[in-house]
Amino acid sequence: YAMRRADSDPPGCRIFPNLRQRENIRRKQLMIQAVIFDMDGVLIDSEPLWREYLPRGLATPGVEGTPQMTVKTMGVRTQEVIEMLYRLHRWEGKSQEQIIEEILDDVIGLIRERGGPMAGIPEAFQFPTARGIPLALASSSPMPVIDAIVDKLGVRDAFVNVFSAEKEPFGKPHPAVFLTTARHLGIRPDACLVVEDSINGVIAAKAAKMRAVAIPEPFLYEAPQFGIADHKLRSAIELTPVTWEQLLA
């Protein structure tokens, strides 16, 4: 038997009781059950440090690190950046592994010396945490860099899981690190919300069937590629309780 149309039902619509129950269950399942944060450019203002150091670090093998190159590779694993550059330039002398180690050591030093939290961090964690929604961190950076940053910011305890894409078969924009994070959380990917600053990271989140909130750097805010994000903010300061209510619904 059909139910009488409820005020919330569309005009001319009759919903059978079991169908309404299924729809309520479906909506409940689609509510956000975990928030996954990227790190560089979301938690810490480290992207300028990478842009400053990477051209200098690549000077040893004789590679010109242009600003365009550093923007294009935002969110990409350092290993993959160096592999790509080696295929193009085929330098002699230091190995790829040596270059990567030197870059990471120097960037970690810069982070410890000059790294600071992005505006709105760690305050943005308060609303989801207070509602029992677990937070995780999923970054393209290797674990030594992640450890240096979470310790520098004092936010390690905010996350139930911390993951690096360094052990994944592919880095962002491949969704592997986000899918691994969801699996370890025991939560379906489509019930996860990702907070990212890079186009590669947003692509990875959407490929994982997760919702994506983009917080691009100011000079990239109008980039059309961010149109695939579900929401776009100017900074984590905008992650207010009202915004969180909308994002987590």
Side-chain angles (χ1 to χ4, degrees):
Y1 298 95
M3 292 183 63
R4 293 179 60 187
R5 185 175 66 83
D7 292 340
S8 60
D9 295 336
C13 175
R14 292 176 182 266
I15 299 182
F16 289 86
N18 62 330
L19 295 181
R20 174 168 286 140
Q21 291 169 1
R22 291 177 186 175
E23 178 65 10
N24 289 339
I25 292 172
R26 187 187 72 84
R27 287 177 179 172
K28 185 175 181 181
Q29 289 174 335
L30 290 179
M31 290 177 64
I32 296 302
Q33 299 173 28
V35 179
I36 303 172
F37 284 85
D38 177 43
M39 185 180 67
D40 293 288
V42 174
L43 302 187
I44 189 167
D45 194 16
S46 55
E47 294 293 1
L49 301 181
W50 282 100
R51 285 199 298 272
E52 172 189 329
Y53 177 76
L54 197 55
R56 192 164 72 242
L58 292 174
T60 300
V63 177
E64 181 182 3
T66 64
Q68 294 79 6
M69 183 270 288
T70 56
V71 170
K72 183 179 179 181
T73 57
M74 283 176 62
V76 178
R77 296 184 296 189
T78 308
Q79 174 186 346
E80 291 175 317
V81 174
I82 299 304
E83 288 175 351
M84 175 193 70
L85 292 174
Y86 183 76
R87 287 196 299 271
L88 292 173
H89 298 280
R90 296 288 178 178
W91 62 76
E92 297 181 355
K94 291 184 178 180
S95 67
Q96 296 179 57
E97 291 75 17
Q98 287 175 304
I99 298 295
I100 292 170
E101 184 176 354
E102 289 178 1
I103 289 175
L104 295 180
D105 285 346
D106 288 345
V107 168
I108 287 172
L110 286 174
I111 287 168
R112 288 173 174 161
E113 178 185 347
R114 294 161 47 190
M118 298 295 290
I121 299 297
E123 294 81 6
F125 304 155
Q126 295 173 0
F127 186 89
T129 299
R131 279 148 185 78
I133 296 174
L135 308 183
L137 188 154
S139 173
S140 292
S141 292
M143 282 308 302
V145 176
I146 293 175
D147 287 336
I149 288 176
V150 296
D151 290 340
K152 169 77 175 182
L153 300 183
V155 297
R156 185 179 295 275
D157 291 342
F159 302 105
V160 297
N161 291 105
V162 175
F163 289 98
S164 167
E166 66 178 340
K167 300 299 183 184
E168 300 291 344
F170 303 100
K172 300 173 187 177
H174 193 281
V177 69
F178 289 137
L179 294 173
T180 295
T181 302
R183 185 170 65 252
H184 281 267
L185 290 170
I187 295 173
R188 288 171 32 175
D190 60 2
C192 295
L193 174 74
V194 173
V195 183
E196 266 281 358
D197 73 309
S198 72
I199 292 168
N200 287 316
V202 172
I203 293 172
K206 298 307 295 180
K209 301 187 182 301
M210 298 178 178
R211 294 192 212 174
V213 177
I215 308 181
E217 290 204 62
F219 71 95
L220 291 173
Y221 187 81
E222 300 298 338
Q225 295 94 323
F226 282 109
I228 65 172
D230 297 278
H231 303 274
K232 187 168 68 169
L233 307 175
R234 291 197 177 272
S235 80
I237 293 176
E238 295 184 30
L239 287 171
T240 63
V242 172
T243 303
W244 274 123
E245 289 280 9
Q246 298 171 347
L247 296 176
L248 300 176

